[in-house]
Amino acid sequence: MKAMKRTLRLAVAAILLIGIPYFLVQSARKDLIPMQNTPKARQKGNSKAKILIVEYSDFQCPSCASIEPVIKQLIEKHDGKIRFAFKYYPLMKVHKNAFKAAQAAECASEQGGFWPYHGKLYSSQSDWRDVEDPASLFTGYANDLQLKTEPFIQCLKRSSTKFPIEADIAEGKRQQIKATPTFFVNNKRFVGRVFETEGIRMIEEELSR
Amino acid sequence: MRNFPSFIRPDLYKFALLVARLIVGGVFIYAGFSKATNPVAEFAAAIDVYRIIPSSWVTIAATVIPWIELYTGVCILFGFFGRLSAAVSTLFFTIFLTVFGISLYHGIHLESCGCFGSGLSLSLPQAIAFDSFLFILSVYLLMKPSKFVSVDDWVRKG
């Protein structure tokens, strides 16, 4: 009788102590909202591609800079099979020039020069990341890439340039993005270096089907 | 035969062990819960920074570890399978301290230890200090499992 009582108490304890935490975790998990479309100027590749990669990135993030050539190589290798979309996600608390870099990229985008400017920002990251005011450097890059300088400067000063960046940041927060680079490969999330291993493996497997 | 120093009253000793359970259990519950309720990929990235686990295992580890932490914390806090859960927590802190030590030795710079997912962010030295303290408490709970206000005691008395 006593043994049965003990067993019953053990079972009750086990059910409650396993079930309640599980239920609480499931209740606390937030449903992620679908991502909005990225403006065409920040997309490249075949619009009907089997694989869609969306990257939330910070131009001042060293990991983002180091993974940029990997992405480029991946897209070139699977020409026509991958569509790539870029979203701004400057981590302003730790990277003081990241938002300004995003604004500069957005201004380049207005003149159809987003991708070359995107590459330029990453490749010269060490030149501008610690500068007090990188605006003149960013204007210099625009000039180097043969973008119109005066409209670029005016664009940098306009407050409306911030809107697409802030929209991406808000969306990233709703997606619970905490670090950059964060990738979504056909809606499956990979963060940082894990994209280079598991993310690329998933893409290769998907494309080989 | 005395099991504790003579200058410590038995009832105070019981409360001290209970406090140790509250601290260790509470920390594990917080750590496990904050990681389990966030996307797995975020914790996977945090684990990957240490370069200890092969990349192909990172997502599996990131899926499983938060739940082990959460349930270890629940068991310690409520005094359920006290000795076993204290053994698990001691093992965890041994692993954490080893990993942090290797990271420091290799000069891996970490902005955050990733210990609490999107919750509290600790630097590597802070994490080492904090986990050392928790390791000591865990070892103590392992050596002297606390049955005071515990599920184990309730089950035993059935």
Side-chain angles (χ1 to χ4, degrees), chain A residues 39 41-42 59 86 88 99-114 117-118 121 152 155-156 158 160-165 168:
Chain A
R42 285 190 270 131
F59 286 112
F86 181 95
Y88 302 113
F99 195 92
K100 288 178 195 166
Q103 282 180 278
E106 184 60 19
C107 293
S109 175
E110 282 187 2
Q111 296 188 44
F114 176 78
Y117 204 89
H118 158 282
L121 281 173
F152 185 87
C155 171
L156 279 182
R158 260 197 333 262
S160 60
T161 311
K162 297 180 188 177
F163 299 160
I165 302 161
D168 280 357

Side-chain angles (χ1 to χ4, degrees), chain B:
Chain B
M1 182 175 166
R2 280 199 298 248
N3 292 326
F4 43 84
S6 58
F7 58 85
I8 297 179
R9 284 167 40 199
D11 50 349
L12 273 183
Y13 194 71
K14 277 193 306 192
F15 278 106
L17 284 175
L18 181 62
V19 168
R21 266 172 47 203
L22 289 172
I23 293 171
V24 177
V27 166
F28 261 111
I29 289 171
Y30 178 70
F33 190 83
S34 62
K35 287 175 208 148
T37 51
N38 277 288
V40 168
E42 298 289 341
F43 184 43
I47 294 173
D48 192 59
V49 169
Y50 292 99
R51 319 253 166 137
I52 303 281
I53 301 177
S55 295
S56 52
W57 284 79
V58 158
T59 301
I60 297 168
T63 307
V64 167
I65 288 172
W67 290 101
I68 298 176
E69 287 183 330
L70 178 63
Y71 282 116
T72 301
V74 166
C75 289
I76 289 174
L77 186 72
F78 288 96
F80 188 52
F81 286 97
R83 189 157 246 153
L84 175 62
S85 52
V88 172
S89 77
T90 304
L91 178 64
F92 257 74
F93 288 121
T94 306
I95 294 169
F96 293 156
L97 288 167
T98 307
V99 167
F100 296 155
I102 293 171
S103 301
L104 262 183
Y105 177 76
H106 287 298
I108 295 174
H109 171 69
L110 300 167
E111 285 176 9
S112 168
C113 66
C115 308
F116 299 101
S118 61
L120 179 66
S121 179
L122 296 179
S123 68
L124 205 46
Q126 287 171 333
I128 289 173
F130 190 49
D131 281 7
S132 299
F133 168 66
L134 294 171
F135 172 77
I136 291 166
L137 291 183
S138 294
V139 168
Y140 205 54
L141 287 171
L142 179 60
M143 285 163 44
K144 304 246 180 263
S146 161
K147 296 229 183 310
F148 180 55
V149 189
S150 71
V151 170
D152 284 344
D153 199 45
W154 178 70
V155 169
R156 190 180 57 84
K157 282 177 180 165

